[in-house]
Structures are given as C-alpha cells and as structure tokens.
Amino acid sequence: MRTMNLTLAALLITGAAFAQTQQPTTSTTTITTTTAVTTNRELPPAAAPAKPFTLPVVTKFDLPNGLGVRLVQYGSVPKTTVRLAIQTGNADEGPNETWLADLTGEMLQEGTTSRTAEQIARETASMGDDLNVNTGVNLVTLGGDVFSESAPRFIALLADVVEHPLFPETDLARIKQDSIRQLALQRAQPQPLASEKFYGALFPNSAYGRYFPTQAMLEGYTLDQVKSFYDRNYGAARARLYVVGRFDPAVIESAIRAGFASWKRGNSPSVPQVAPVGKRVVYLVDRPGAVQTTLYVGLPSIESTNPDYTSYLVMDALLGGTFGSRITSNIREQKGYTYSPTSQIGNRLGAGSWVEIADVTTKDTGASIHEILGEIDRIRNTPATAEELLAIQRNAAGIFVLRNSARAAIANQLAFVDVHGLGEDYLRNYVQRLYAVTPADVQHAAQQFIDPSKITIVAVGDKKVILDQLRAYGDVIE
C-alpha cells in the first residue's frame, strides 16, 4: 500500500539521498541515552574515491503500439531480470479511489483468461522466481529475476498477465479484506500517520495528498471499478520493458514482439497537475503514552529535472541524507535524541519534496526540532568545508556505484530516467557531476530550496508531553 510504495520509489531514484531508509514503526522502543556520546573513540578511515561508473550498453527499440524496450547485457551469472514498468499508480486515482490502484495490481495476480493464479505461481517458480507486482505512486512494475533460459517463457507469461487479466470476482472480497487489515495495521503505526498528515498538508486536493482510504471506501470497491482503472491506465503507450542480464538478444526480441505486439496502445501517460503548499505550520497527532515522537520536518521542493538537482542531492546528503550527515551527527551522536534519523527526497512526477524524519525521545521533541531547524539555518548561512564536502561526495558516489552493480538496480535506474525524461547521460555522468559540486553550490541549493518559512512540522506522539514543546514553533493544529 502507500507506505510500502515509498520503498519502491526509493529504488527508482538515484543517489544516497534517496535511500528512503525505513524508520522504526513502533512506539515501544525506549531510548535511554540522552547524554552526549563520548568523543573518545577511534574515527573511521576516510572513504576512498569511488570507482567510476560505466553504464552498460543499452539496446533500444519500440513496438508499433508504443511499448518501449530496453535490453542490457550485464554480468556473468546466467540469470535475467525482466521488468515491465507502466506509468500509472496512485497518482491516477480519483478523489474517491484511494488504493484502487493497489487493488488493481493485486487483482492482476489472480489469473488470466488462460492461466489460473496457481498455474502462474507454479510456472514462475519453475523459472527461478515469483511474479512480482508492485504498485507505486507513479509506476506499476511487474516482473521477476529468472534463469536465462527461461526469460523468453517469462516474457510470454508477463504479456499474458498484463494483457489478459481475468479479474475473478471470487477473489475480490478476499483482497479487499487484506487491504482493510493492512489499513488497520498502518493506522496503528506512527510513521504512516505522520506521512498521511505531512503529504496531505503539502499536496492538498491531489492524489499525492490522499494517503489512506477509509474502511468504507475499501469495502465499497467493485469489480467494475477495478476494470475501469485497468482500462484507463494500462496500455503499451504508458509502458517500457527492461531486460537486464545474460540472454540471447535475438530470441528475447522475438519473444517480446510475439508477446506484446497485440497489447492495446491505451491512453498516453500524463503528469498530475499539483499545487504544492509550503508554509510554516505544526500538526500534532496524539498517541497517548508513546515513548517516542515521530517527526516529519519538511516542505515541497524541486524535481529531478531542475538544473540544480545534483547540488540539491549533495546538499541533502550533507544535511540529513547520510549516516555522516550534520543532522544525524547532531541529534544522534551528540545529543542522543534518536537512533536513526534520515532525510528523504521525494520525486513524484510534477511535485518534489524534502523531509527530515526522526523518531525521538518524547521529552526531547522540541529540542530535536530546534536542532533540525538550526542545522538547516547553518547549511544555508555557512558554506561546508572542502574536506566535509569531499567525504559526503565520496560516500554518495560509492553508494551510487554499488547500487548499480545488480541487474534489478540497473532496470530500476533506467526506469527512473525514462519516466522523468532525464536521458542516459544522467546516469553516465552522475559520479562526475557529484564531484563537480562546490561548497558554494551546496549553500545555494539550501538557500533556494529549503526555506525555513515554508517548512511543515508533523509530530506524532503523546499530546500531554509534547504540546507545549511544539508551541514554540507555531500554532499547533490537531
């Protein structure tokens, strides 16, 4: 569902700033260390320069129906990642359709006009993997990582699943009940509650801000609504197929043309029209008795197509997006307010965002906000030293190269580049662009894109303990 989709979105975006590290989702973990951490410890060795990143050769062709195909020979292991990425998802849901995209993705796995769900499971298992269907905000992906000799058969099966879904009504009630249970689980956890409030505030009157459905909404979905969502949003014109690994190119191309040539073209993809709201406001979601407060501190920001995006990535990594970032050093290492804070860059089509996320000890809620805002002011007002910046650049470049050393990662990166219209040079020159960022560039990015007057603060915690602490940062809305 929607909180799970953040993980997928993380796979589709580049750089250490997009790790989307999941935070603890339970309020039962007690943090007892609130004093400064001792400084009498051996420092880790400095990071070595990252190895250069070489983008494998990408063979491209399009089918007459609009399906784009990307073939990449990679690695020596006799396996092949096959991934179909369709530009649709939660962004295409109407005002009363929250999670309908997820429901449609689940129903795709329940069989085709020629295969039962059990047959699909058995076939894919014999090929070395399962059929994985993942619904995100802007992308739905279907695929698997199979034995190389099975790749043509898997492509044929994948084409059957996406082109000829059965949508059996007998399975709809079960899937809706699963969704209702998932809704209840997420609403019992602080981070999903904070996400709902935060993105609802940043993107009101938009699918990006509609985080959770109601139980009644889920119970009321019909098979006709599922079929309608599929008919409107699934088709070759919105899709690209990525094949990465070891395979016979001629055999794979023949399988793709045989399997997907008859797929309907469908509607062209569209970018949601969003009017983000950035303003200083404080929201409180009460969780009586919580020993931690979940904080979201952030604002709408730029997209990956912005000319200053690389400087913005490095700025984020320095500010909060890496383990060695300033905010992490401050509120984790020095103050002991939290265990694992992180910042996240959101890259939804037509609507970027930046947010610092931390589960902090309840009594230190206000102090944690003070330190986060203080680090934002510092990075805006004081350039980083060359040494500090180089350490961050080496870390970010190394993570980028490491993450792109696997078949699935290459498919994900190419999908991100395609859906955002960035071009292959985005990946090919990524490491060089990281190292070209200067301290002045970092400061400029912070000044331009992290405006303290536009920051929204969400706190999910024990009202009786944190309300007065929050009032120091603005009028509190419950």
Side-chain angles (χ1 to χ4, degrees):
M1 297 307 167
R2 188 68 62 90
T3 55
M4 301 300 182
N5 295 336
L6 291 176
T7 306
L8 176 63
L11 294 174
L12 298 177
I13 50 188
T14 53
F18 288 88
Q20 302 280 359
T21 304
Q22 296 299 299
Q23 300 296 301
T25 54
T26 171
S27 62
T28 59
T29 302
T30 302
I31 298 178
T32 58
T33 302
T34 57
T35 58
V37 177
T38 179
T39 58
N40 295 324
R41 60 186 177 87
E42 184 178 353
L43 294 176
K51 294 181 179 180
F53 172 72
T54 302
L55 179 68
V57 175
V58 181
T59 301
K60 299 181 180 181
F61 63 89
D62 295 338
L63 300 189
N65 58 6
L67 176 69
V69 180
R70 309 289 185 261
L71 306 181
V72 181
Q73 290 281 354
Y74 182 78
S76 58
V77 177
K79 293 201 75 176
T80 305
T81 292
V82 180
R83 180 157 297 150
L84 181 68
I86 307 168
Q87 191 174 322
T88 188
N90 303 115
D92 288 314
E93 296 168 341
N96 297 305
E97 294 182 337
T98 307
W99 284 15
L100 182 58
D102 304 86
L103 198 65
T104 303
E106 292 293 326
M107 288 292 289
L108 282 174
Q109 303 172 68
E110 298 304 322
T112 72
T113 54
S114 61
R115 288 177 168 94
T116 66
E118 182 179 356
Q119 287 173 323
I120 291 172
R122 289 182 179 277
E123 285 186 54
T124 54
S126 72
M127 300 180 207
D129 200 3
D130 300 320
L131 173 64
N132 302 304
V133 180
N134 223 316
T135 301
V137 177
N138 295 121
L139 278 179
V140 173
T141 61
L142 304 89
D145 191 52
V146 299
F147 304 125
S148 292
E149 67 270 19
S150 301
R153 284 198 299 133
F154 187 82
I155 288 169
L157 182 146
L158 185 60
D160 186 33
V161 167
V162 76
E163 294 179 51
H164 310 114
L166 184 61
F167 292 136
E169 188 154 18
T170 52
D171 293 297
L172 180 61
R174 170 179 56 80
I175 292 174
K176 289 198 297 184
Q177 285 303 310
D178 288 344
S179 298
I180 290 169
R181 283 190 290 271
Q182 181 67 25
L183 176 65
L185 286 172
Q186 291 193 26
R187 283 202 168 279
Q189 299 174 31
Q191 284 221 4
L193 293 175
S195 293
E196 177 188 33
K197 185 64 69 174
F198 181 75
Y199 291 108
L202 265 58
F203 307 119
N205 304 313
S206 162
Y208 293 155
R210 293 190 287 270
Y211 203 84
F212 285 137
T214 63
Q215 179 172 333
M217 190 182 295
L218 289 174
E219 290 173 340
Y221 285 144
T222 67
L223 194 60
D224 285 342
Q225 286 176 285
V226 171
K227 291 179 178 178
S228 175
F229 188 90
Y230 168 84
D231 289 338
R232 297 194 314 264
N233 299 298
Y234 281 71
R238 292 189 174 205
R240 287 185 176 86
L241 182 67
Y242 303 89
V243 183
V244 182
R246 305 310 305 172
F247 54 86
D248 184 320
V251 172
I252 290 297
E253 180 172 347
S254 177
I256 291 170
R257 293 187 184 278
F260 286 96
S262 61
W263 192 14
K264 68 175 185 178
R265 183 176 185 85
N267 297 320
S268 298
S270 60
V271 176
Q273 298 302 304
V274 184
V277 174
K279 63 179 180 179
R280 175 59 68 87
V281 61
V282 182
Y283 292 97
L284 168 61
V285 179
D286 188 21
R287 294 189 80 232
V291 298
Q292 291 182 330
T293 300
T294 294
L295 291 175
Y296 274 49
V297 181
L299 72 170
S301 196
I302 62 172
E303 299 176 70
S304 57
T305 51
N306 190 290
D308 291 324
Y309 187 68
T310 302
S311 298
Y312 174 65
L313 284 177
V314 176
M315 180 279 300
D316 166 74
L318 176 59
L319 178 60
T322 62
F323 194 75
S325 69
R326 289 180 174 184
I327 292 177
T328 300
S329 176
N330 185 328
I331 65 174
R332 182 187 191 274
E333 297 292 332
Q334 299 172 28
K335 304 297 192 307
Y337 294 157
T338 181
Y339 179 72
S340 186
T342 188
S343 63
Q344 295 179 358
I345 290 177
N347 237 326
R348 295 164 181 81
L349 282 172
S353 62
W354 179 89
V355 61
E356 174 71 23
I357 301 172
D359 292 319
V360 304
T361 43
T362 301
K363 70 181 181 61
D364 299 309
T365 299
S368 298
I369 296 171
H370 175 78
E371 297 300 333
I372 291 169
L373 296 178
E375 292 296 349
I376 290 172
D377 286 338
R378 184 161 75 97
I379 202 169
R380 285 166 53 87
N381 296 324
T382 306
T385 66
E387 293 78 12
E388 182 183 29
L389 179 57
L390 180 59
I392 290 295
Q393 288 167 319
R394 286 180 172 177
N395 181 71
I399 290 175
F400 175 80
V401 173
L402 180 63
R403 284 184 177 157
N404 287 286
S405 61
R407 294 178 299 274
I410 292 172
N412 289 332
Q413 297 287 17
L414 292 174
F416 173 74
V417 165
D418 284 339
V419 77
H420 290 276
L422 299 175
E424 287 181 13
D425 281 349
Y426 179 86
L427 297 177
R428 187 175 291 111
N429 301 324
Y430 184 87
V431 172
Q432 296 92 315
R433 292 198 313 275
L434 280 180
Y435 280 114
V437 174
T438 67
D441 294 331
V442 170
Q443 186 178 14
H444 173 77
Q447 291 171 343
Q448 291 292 110
F449 310 126
I450 311 293
D451 183 347
S453 70
K454 297 180 179 179
I455 282 180
T456 292
I457 299 170
V458 174
V460 180
D462 191 341
K463 174 182 174 179
K464 68 179 182 297
V465 180
I466 67 174
L467 177 58
D468 287 341
Q469 299 181 57
L470 295 177
R471 285 177 173 148
Y473 303 98
D475 294 334
V476 179
I477 302 173
E478 297 183 49

